[in-house]
Amino acid sequence: MTPSEHGYMVIQRYGLDPAGLAVLEAGRRGLERAGWRSVLVVDDLEVFVGPRRPPRIRLVHRRCILIGTYRPHGQALSALIGRSRSPDELARATVAGGWGRYVLAWRTDAGDLAVLRDPSGAVDCLTWKCGGLWLASDQPPPEADVMMPAVLAIDWDRLGEIAEQPGLASDQPPLKGLTGVAPGEYALMGRTVARYPVWRPADIWRTRDVDPSPTALRSVVDEAVVAETDDHARLVGEISGGLDSAIVSSSLAASGRSDRARFVNYYGDWAEGDERPYALASARMSSLSLEVVRKPVAPITPGLLAPLGWGVRPALHGVDAAYDEEMANRLAVANATGLLTGQGGDAVFFQAPDPQVVVDRRRRRGWQGFEPGYWAEVGRWTRHSAWTVAALALGGRRGRPLSARRHPWLAGCEDLPPAKRGQVLRLANCQLFWGDCLRARTADLVHPLLSQPVMEHALAVPADQLLAGVRDRGLARLAFADRLPALITERRDKGDLSVFYGRVVLASLPMLRPFLMEGRMTEHRLLDPVRLERDLSPHRLMWSADGNRPLVLGVLESWARHWTDRIERRRRTEIARQPVDDAGVQVP
């Protein structure tokens, strides 16, 4: 399985000279060798799709192409597009008029290629220029590298930033010449690439007015689960034992569609990593069959990590390589087209014990928010003293400053209440859940809690109301209380696989240490060999709060090695294609 087998590629070929036509024809032959096929041609736009599970492609308006699925709130997408008089108006009307998992591509009246990525981020979109061609794709295959940008190279600085902040992997890829389009953003490709946000979490908080009741939250989640699973006759679902996956699986059961899903729970050998009692209780209450599978401690080798470096972005969502491989095989055996999860629930429902929620409440309620009793409850929940929490509430501290390099979703968040701003940051980090991995290459990742309607609803509800009684995910607990066992809704702790992953890292060190010490990232000074040797000591890892960092670095190193080789192969191919003069010397 390769990451590009279920991809798409949009090519604008307007006004090509002979050299450009030669590149296009070579690229087309490469795509055909990889099993890709042309499915739509509109004027100078052409769309290709990969050979396995290709996305839906359809013309929705003159020179306007929908890649994926769009669900209108009312009026059809074609009507929304027909009334739009500019790219910005078209993009905003599309995002406001419906939702789904899609990329919208069109040629503007000015002749530019425009692409809009839906706010959920479920479908990736990268843009670039190659000679006279403008292209957009989620995963360009190596067979068509002749159409990659001439300046293609690894951006080592950006890769180093991802090593320090893995959440940035979902923003700009660490490859020069490629520009990522953020969720809720459109790009115009004329002489250069210009990007314009039309959906930002901060704007949702400021402008949306929603019903903060448990009933309203339950309704929006139920609708998202039904819509997101509608296209899948066979699903594999995860019931981890936690609240979020229990909510999603109970919504599927309530919709009467549970017969299309097989559910699985993975458990570790340590008590804190064994969630079977909770998962089984959840499955029984929703009348779901559940298979429990032991997660053995097995070393993660460079060979297991290698496929995670094949995509345009490092596949950090596959960092638990043994689980990733097991679930991918399970999906294939079940002939499932989707993997249903509760991922994103911690951010959407507000799980983080953030004492700054008292600041949000004071700013919302004014002097009515002078509530020492509430501050004491927050102190107990977050394990802070009542005095610390009271100082926060009265002082209204704005929270930690944002880092210099940050996800585009954090734009405009400076004046948000601090707990709500923290929720936006966690949602931005959740974009990793849509990323490449072996599971995503086998079936669609179905994360209803990260759909646009659910995110918008949760972003518009004040942080203290999401707690509903100073409980993590308190509003969600109330919303689904009658569908879930008390064992889960009244639970105060949370499953912890840190011991399990600590053992996995220790078992992997004999192979990971030389892989990293002698790797490309060390060669390019992204990693300091002395510090790396110290950080990879078993004793240090046993007590480190960032114990899985060696696995993250292993994925990044696999990516760096793959792309170093891929770029070199492309360079050699380009040299071989150059013409020669009468003396047999290649002409650049």
Side-chain angles (χ1 to χ4, degrees), residues 231-425:
D231 293 334
H232 299 281
R234 288 192 181 91
L235 292 156
V236 170
E238 290 192 71
I239 300 181
S240 67
L243 179 68
D244 307 324
S245 62
I247 286 174
V248 170
S249 58
S250 74
S251 284
L252 186 70
S255 73
R257 302 177 177 206
S258 59
D259 58 342
R260 64 180 66 187
R262 300 179 181 181
F263 288 93
V264 61
N265 166 262
Y266 292 93
Y267 68 93
D269 289 337
W270 289 267
E272 59 269 36
D274 188 350
E275 299 279 278
R276 281 178 293 178
Y278 304 99
L280 289 166
S282 176
R284 279 194 299 269
M285 189 143 183
S286 295
S287 300
L288 303 172
S289 61
L290 178 69
E291 181 181 357
V292 294
V293 177
R294 176 176 173 267
K295 287 171 66 79
V297 174
I300 293 178
T301 65
L304 275 176
L305 293 175
L308 303 180
W310 296 347
V312 174
R313 303 179 191 273
L316 293 180
H317 194 30
V319 69
D320 187 349
Y323 153 75
D324 190 32
E325 185 177 52
E326 200 283 337
M327 178 56 88
N329 291 335
R330 181 176 296 273
L331 288 162
V333 169
N335 199 25
T337 56
L339 172 58
L340 180 65
T341 83
Q343 287 191 304
D346 284 357
V348 167
F349 296 143
F350 207 94
Q351 187 272 334
D354 187 350
Q356 294 184 111
V357 71
V358 296
V359 183
D360 292 39
R361 189 173 175 92
R362 270 273 290 111
R363 286 177 59 172
R364 180 173 68 85
R365 293 171 58 87
W367 283 109
Q368 291 182 349
F370 189 89
E371 303 165 287
Y374 181 78
W375 303 342
E377 287 185 68
V378 171
R380 284 191 291 271
W381 172 52
T382 61
R383 299 183 179 180
H384 286 75
S385 73
W387 293 110
T388 299
V389 176
L392 280 174
L394 296 174
R397 195 175 72 191
R398 292 172 64 90
R400 291 188 294 270
L402 297 170
S403 61
R405 264 284 284 145
R406 53 181 184 163
H407 193 280
W409 276 8
L410 297 178
C413 284
E414 291 78 8
D415 64 337
L416 261 62
K420 182 57 66 172
R421 189 169 70 170
Q423 184 186 26
V424 173
L425 175 60

Side-chain angles (χ1 to χ4, degrees), residues 355-522:
Q356 294 184 111
V357 71
V358 296
V359 183
D360 292 39
R361 189 173 175 92
R362 270 273 290 111
R363 286 177 59 172
R364 180 173 68 85
R365 293 171 58 87
W367 283 109
Q368 291 182 349
F370 189 89
E371 303 165 287
Y374 181 78
W375 303 342
E377 287 185 68
V378 171
R380 284 191 291 271
W381 172 52
T382 61
R383 299 183 179 180
H384 286 75
S385 73
W387 293 110
T388 299
V389 176
L392 280 174
L394 296 174
R397 195 175 72 191
R398 292 172 64 90
R400 291 188 294 270
L402 297 170
S403 61
R405 264 284 284 145
R406 53 181 184 163
H407 193 280
W409 276 8
L410 297 178
C413 284
E414 291 78 8
D415 64 337
L416 261 62
K420 182 57 66 172
R421 189 169 70 170
Q423 184 186 26
V424 173
L425 175 60
R426 290 186 288 276
L427 279 172
N429 289 335
C430 285
Q431 282 296 307
L432 284 177
F433 295 148
W434 295 116
D436 178 37
C437 56
L438 300 186
R439 312 189 296 286
R441 298 175 196 178
T442 309
D444 291 342
L445 302 179
V446 184
H447 308 316
L449 301 184
L450 291 176
S451 64
Q452 181 182 342
V454 176
M455 286 196 299
E456 287 181 344
H457 188 93
L459 283 167
V461 175
D464 61 296
Q465 291 183 328
L466 286 171
L467 298 178
V470 194
R471 288 288 310 276
D472 73 85
R473 298 166 291 181
L475 185 64
R477 293 175 192 271
L478 292 175
F480 295 91
D482 64 329
R483 291 186 189 167
L484 304 179
L487 190 67
I488 289 178
T489 57
E490 296 177 7
R491 186 180 182 184
R492 291 285 177 177
D493 61 344
K494 184 175 172 66
D496 184 4
L497 286 171
S498 57
V499 173
F500 170 80
Y501 287 118
R503 298 285 182 178
V504 169
V505 170
L506 291 176
S508 307
L509 278 182
M511 288 148 288
L512 276 181
R513 182 182 284 109
F515 184 64
L516 294 173
M517 294 289 292
E518 301 163 13
R520 300 291 188 273
M521 291 198 296
T522 301

Side-chain angles (χ1 to χ4, degrees), residues 536-569:
L536 292 178
S537 69
H539 177 75
R540 191 175 185 88
L541 286 170
M542 285 286 289
W543 301 103
S544 173
D546 197 15
N548 72 335
R549 178 170 164 78
L551 301 181
V552 171
L553 295 179
V555 174
L556 299 181
E557 176 63 29
S558 295
W559 183 92
R561 294 189 184 206
H562 171 83
W563 277 92
T564 297
D565 295 343
R566 180 168 168 176
I567 291 169
E568 176 59 24
R569 286 195 302 272

